[in-house]
DNA sequence: TACGTAATTGCGAACTTTCGCAATTACGAT
DNA sequence: ATCGTAATTGCGAAAGTTCGCAATTACGTA
């Protein structure tokens, strides 16, 4: 039953995360479960678009949905999602910091650690 | 200069990682720098396709390229990339384990921890 | 039952990504 | 200079993604 190589699964996971609206949803859900209405208010996207992105996240098992009366409440499925987002943030921070340092070097041209 | 919201950058980062060939490249580079030739031997992809994926990774700053004589050697740019891949692996492992447990429950129907 | 709001689904047009072929650049050896 | 191998780039066809409109489902209330 090894149907899907792990690297395919990993690529698919990343592909699923590769959309701004889906990232925002996951970030909002990090602070706890939220009804669709609330996500909608926070995210600047049409209801239909949000539904579609939520469907993607649901199908992939990254979030869970629960109907509560007339609204539907979404929540993160498992704590590891937050860890992944944190890792991404750290990488981006490192990258941006690095760029700024490089920029500073180029502009100021007075660093002790010279390139040989 | 706040041109790009952080969540857009995050989404783009994930989108870049969302391809099996690019994942495989990054995984191979985790064990140290590798010439294109070696990646090509390991990955089952046409040379031209690999080049294109390497170009994507290069442009995004996730890897660096260095010509050494007649070959080009690629390397991971910064340790944080490995951390991101680890986080992804952990999430997938959790997800697969969870699925198996659920499957076992459904098949065996004899668990102590009943759902209320 | 009929109405209003919440959320989802189906569908097609616009856009983006991917893939391989042909052409090109970069290097080392003859 | 010419040849062979390593790697990249340009380009167009095929495949995949995204977006909004219209239609639908699910629920609460009059």
């Amino acid at each position: 039953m090894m149907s899907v190589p792990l690297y395919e699964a990993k690529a698919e996971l990343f592909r699923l995360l590769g959309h701004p609206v889906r990232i925002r949803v996951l970030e909002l859900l990090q602070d706890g479960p939220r009804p669709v209405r609330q996500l909608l208010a926070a995210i600047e996207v049409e209801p239909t678009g949000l539904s579609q992105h939520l469907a993607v996240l649901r199908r992939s098992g990254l979030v869970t949905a629960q109907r509560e009366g007339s609204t539907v409440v979404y929540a993160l499925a498992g704590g590891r999602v937050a860890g992944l987002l944190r890792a991404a943030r750290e990488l981006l921070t490192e990258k941006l910091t690095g760029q700024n340092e490089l920029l500073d070097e180029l502009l100021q041209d007075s660093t002790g650690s010279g390139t040989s």
Side-chain angles (χ1 to χ4, degrees), chain A residues 34-57:
Chain A
R34 295 276 180 277
V36 174
R37 184 172 23 79
Q38 214 168 118
L39 299 173
L40 200 45
I43 298 184
E44 186 137 331
V45 62
E46 305 286 316
T48 184
L50 181 56
S51 264
Q52 282 166 152
H53 289 297
L54 288 172
V56 170
L57 294 173

Side-chain angles (χ1 to χ4, degrees), chain A residues 4-8 15 17 23 26 39 41 44-45 49-50 52 55-56 61 66-67 76 81 91 104 106 114 116:
Chain A
V4 178
L6 193 54
Y7 61 85
E8 291 267 7
R15 200 161 40 71
L17 295 171
I23 291 291
L26 294 176
L39 299 173
E44 186 137 331
V45 62
L50 181 56
Q52 282 166 152
V56 170
Q66 248 202 104
R67 189 164 264 280
L76 285 195
V81 180
L91 191 154
D104 289 351
L106 289 172
S116 63

Side-chain angles (χ1 to χ4, degrees), chain A residues 12-77:
Chain A
E12 186 169 324
L13 171 59
F14 284 126
R15 200 161 40 71
L16 291 171
L17 295 171
H19 191 288
V21 170
R22 299 200 284 264
I23 291 291
R24 295 232 55 207
V25 167
L26 294 176
E27 284 181 343
L28 289 166
L29 294 184
Q30 280 187 99
D31 300 337
R34 295 276 180 277
V36 174
R37 184 172 23 79
Q38 214 168 118
L39 299 173
L40 200 45
I43 298 184
E44 186 137 331
V45 62
E46 305 286 316
T48 184
L50 181 56
S51 264
Q52 282 166 152
H53 289 297
L54 288 172
V56 170
L57 294 173
R58 234 187 304 121
R59 271 181 244 127
S60 69
L62 290 170
V63 306
T64 60
Q66 248 202 104
R67 189 164 264 280
E68 305 217 341
S70 73
T71 76
V72 176
V73 177
Y74 279 83
L76 285 195

